[in-house]
C-alpha cells in the first residue's frame, strides 16, 4: 500500500492461477527480490513474519542488501481450534478482531478476552525468544517490506501493516 493509501498490486502474470509456483521458500525469496529490486524510496527494511516468512525474507534481505527484522504477529484462535482465527495480535500490542467472521465463531465476550490474552502472551513470548533483548528496529520514515510465506485471509498481515504504521513506517510493501 502506498503512502497515499492507494493499493497497488505487482504480479508476474505467468504465475497467476498456478499451484506449486516456487521450488521452496528460498526460490520464492529470489523471485520476490527480483520483483522488488527496482523498489523506489528511501531507506528500507525487510520484516519477516515468523516462522514461514523468515526463509523467504532472509533471501530478499540478502539479495537487496537490506537489514532483516522480525514482525511477530499471531492470529487469535478459539480454545477449541488452533487453525481458525478471528483476529490477530502484533508485537506492538495492536489487537484487531475480524468483525466479518466473529459472529460465525460463536465465542462469548469472556472467551474473546481469554483468547486475546493468550495470544498477546504468545506474541510477547515469541518476540522475546526470537529477538532477545534487541528492540524492534526503528521504522520511522522507512519503507518496510513485510514478508510471509503465504496469506490465507490476509487478516493477520493487515494487523502487521497496522503495527508498522503505528511505528511510523513511511511506506509498506507486502511480499
Amino acid at each position: 500500500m502506498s503512502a497515499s493509501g492507494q493499493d497497488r498490486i505487482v504480479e508476474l502474470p505467468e504465475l497467476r492461477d498456478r499451484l506449486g509456483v516456487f521450488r521452496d521458500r528460498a526460490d520464492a525469496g529470489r523471485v520476490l527480490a527480483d520483483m522488488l529490486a527496482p523498489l523506489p524510496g528511501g531507506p528500507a527494511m525487510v520484516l519477516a513474519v515468523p516462522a514461514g516468512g523468515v526463509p523467504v525474507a532472509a533471501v530478499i534481505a540478502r539479495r537487496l542488501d537490506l537489514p532483516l527484522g522480525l514482525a511477530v504477529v499471531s492470529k487469535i484462535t478459539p480454545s477449541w481450534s488452533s487453525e481458525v482465527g478471528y483476529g490477530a495480535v502484533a508485537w506492538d500490542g495492536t489487537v484487531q478482531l475480524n468483525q466479518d467472521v466473529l459472529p460465525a465463531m460463536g465465542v462469548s465476550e469472556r472467551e474473546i478476552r481469554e483468547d486475546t490474552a493468550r495470544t498477546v502472551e504468545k506474541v510477547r513470548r515469541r518476540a522475546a525468544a526470537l529477538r532477545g533483548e534487541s528492540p524492534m528496529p526503528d521504522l520511522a520514515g522507512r519503507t518496510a517490506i513485510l514478508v510471509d510465506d503465504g496469506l490465507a485471509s490476509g487478516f493477520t498481515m493487515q494487523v502487521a501493516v497496522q503495527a508498522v504504521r503505528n511505528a511510523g513506517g513511511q511506506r509498506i510493501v507486502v511480499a
Side-chain angles (χ1 to χ4, degrees), residues 76-82 84 86 105 107 111 114-115 118:
I76 300 170
T77 60
S79 60
W80 44 266
S81 173
S82 63
V84 62
Y86 62 86
M105 297 297 296
V107 289
E111 289 170 311
E114 290 172 359
D115 296 341
R118 185 179 67 249

Side-chain angles (χ1 to χ4, degrees), residues 1 24 41 78 88 90 100 144 149 163-164 172:
M1 183 167 290
D24 53 24
D100 293 337
D149 65 340
V164 169
I172 303 165

Side-chain angles (χ1 to χ4, degrees), residues 90-101:
W91 69 91
D92 70 338
T94 297
V95 175
Q96 289 185 13
L97 299 177
N98 187 336
Q99 299 300 327
D100 293 337
V101 301

Side-chain angles (χ1 to χ4, degrees), residues 122-146:
K122 174 185 173 183
V123 168
R124 186 208 59 75
R125 204 174 45 250
R126 183 181 268 184
L130 295 173
R131 198 177 290 125
E133 297 297 318
S134 301
M136 182 68 180
D138 183 13
L139 299 175
R142 296 179 94 163
T143 294
I145 303 169
L146 278 165

Side-chain angles (χ1 to χ4, degrees), residues 2 15 17 34 59 65 67 76 85 111 115 126 132 137 152 155 160 171:
S2 68
L15 301 182
D17 297 326
D34 289 346
V59 172
D65 195 27
I76 300 170
E111 289 170 311
D115 296 341
R126 183 181 268 184
F155 193 82
R171 181 172 182 219

Side-chain angles (χ1 to χ4, degrees), residues 18-78:
R18 288 188 45 210
L19 297 175
V21 172
F22 307 111
R23 287 187 303 278
D24 53 24
R25 288 180 173 99
D27 184 46
R30 286 187 290 276
V31 171
L32 287 166
D34 289 346
M35 292 175 73
L36 292 165
L39 185 69
M45 170 166 222
V46 178
L47 294 173
V49 175
V54 173
V56 181
V59 172
I60 293 170
R62 190 170 41 256
R63 288 179 71 109
L64 299 180
D65 195 27
L66 295 172
L68 175 64
L70 295 173
V72 181
V73 293
S74 182
K75 64 185 170 188
I76 300 170
T77 60

